[in-house]
Amino acid sequence: MRTARPLLVVLAALTTAACGAPDRLRNVGQAPALSAVDNPQTRPGYRPVSMPMPEPQPISHNPNSLWRNGSRAFFRDQRAQRVGDILTVKVKFQDQANIQNTTNQSRTGSQTMGTPSLFGAERLIARTGADPSSLVSTTGTNSNEGKGTVTRSETLTTNVAAVVMQVLPNGNLVLEGKQEMRVNFEVRELIVAGVVRPEDIESDNTIDSNKIAQARIGYGGRGQITDQQQPRYGQQVLDVLLPF
């Protein structure tokens, strides 16, 4: 039974991977389809964001005044502030890292044990041709060397429109935006989500991505080029199961 269990795991993984094969065969020669524009709240697994909130503050009104609390002008603020409003996220991501680690370890040991004098038994040992003063001698050498280098440089600069999905009790906005672009047989996807403060939204209704709390930014693609860059299903299964 133990030998059959890994085989069952492999067969199950191959069966699962092959489930999407008919869809891929059906779309041979066709461009990948774009996702439908829908309400993210109706997607399976969607959960509203819940975060620690301060105590609610009473709203004060100024009678006989043209000035509204929270406004930056006498006219209506055109920046996103309600569920369904749209604002532009300026994605500016630049990351560089250069890490080098080198480890050298070496150890040498030597032990010698003998019985030069042991109640006359050393004469019996000498008759065998052994040296009583050096009966046991051990040596050991251990050496370890490791090197590691990490070099990473990533830059992403683009804009994406996001929709306000939720207004938290303290006034912060939960936003989510998705952008898809199809070029020939490849679809590029950009996803932005997180929590922003209304005060950080610029007057032109834009906000920098570095001002988004709990930011989730994803950039990738799907299509023929992406398929060629991925190993085959069988190779992925073997990479998971093989211990060496």
Side-chain angles (χ1 to χ4, degrees):
M1 294 296 295
R2 293 183 178 179
T3 57
R5 185 173 301 175
L7 180 59
L8 293 176
V9 174
V10 174
L11 293 177
L14 292 177
T15 303
T16 304
C19 292
D23 295 335
R24 297 183 61 182
L25 292 176
R26 191 181 303 112
N27 296 326
V28 170
Q30 300 181 7
L34 298 176
S35 301
V37 179
D38 58 356
N39 184 1
Q41 295 182 351
T42 61
R43 299 173 187 169
Y46 174 81
R47 294 186 303 175
V49 177
S50 178
M51 302 183 66
M53 295 289 109
E55 294 294 333
Q57 301 294 330
I59 301 177
S60 59
H61 299 276
N62 298 327
N64 301 326
S65 176
L66 296 177
W67 181 260
R68 296 185 301 128
N69 293 332
S71 298
R72 295 187 178 181
F74 287 104
F75 302 99
R76 182 179 182 274
D77 195 349
Q78 298 298 323
R79 294 171 300 176
Q81 56 184 339
R82 297 177 300 180
V83 174
D85 289 349
I86 298 177
L87 73 157
T88 301
V89 179
K90 296 184 292 186
V91 180
K92 296 180 180 179
F93 179 80
Q94 185 174 3
D95 183 20
Q96 293 183 353
N98 190 355
I99 303 174
Q100 294 183 356
N101 293 325
T102 302
T103 302
N104 292 319
Q105 180 181 356
S106 179
R107 181 174 62 185
T108 302
S110 178
Q111 296 84 26
T112 302
M113 183 178 66
T115 56
S117 178
L118 184 61
F119 304 104
E122 67 275 6
R123 291 192 293 271
L124 298 177
I125 297 174
R127 293 177 183 177
T128 63
D131 186 3
S133 61
S134 180
L135 293 178
V136 179
S137 178
T138 61
T139 60
T141 301
N142 183 19
S143 178
N144 182 29
E145 181 179 355
K147 294 182 179 180
T149 302
V150 175
T151 302
R152 184 178 68 246
S153 179
E154 300 173 345
T155 302
L156 177 62
T157 302
T158 185
N159 295 336
V160 58
V163 180
V164 177
M165 307 301 301
Q166 185 181 353
V167 179
L168 299 178
N170 65 342
N172 289 343
L173 308 178
V174 180
L175 58 88
E176 180 178 347
K178 183 177 181 180
Q179 182 185 85
E180 294 185 0
M181 179 180 297
R182 184 174 65 193
V183 180
N184 296 331
F185 291 90
E186 188 73 13
V187 173
R188 287 298 174 185
E189 299 175 334
L190 176 62
I191 300 175
V192 177
V195 182
V196 300
R197 298 191 312 167
E199 294 83 358
D200 293 333
I201 302 177
E202 303 293 339
S203 58
D204 58 351
N205 200 34
T206 62
I207 188 171
D208 293 334
S209 59
N210 56 7
K211 296 181 180 180
I212 301 178
Q214 303 294 323
R216 301 293 186 268
I217 301 175
Y219 182 73
R222 51 187 172 89
Q224 293 182 353
I225 297 178
T226 304
D227 290 343
Q228 294 298 326
Q229 293 177 339
Q230 297 295 327
R232 299 287 86 187
Y233 295 128
Q235 182 63 40
Q236 296 182 26
V237 173
L238 292 178
D239 290 340
V240 175
L241 297 179
L242 293 180
F244 305 105

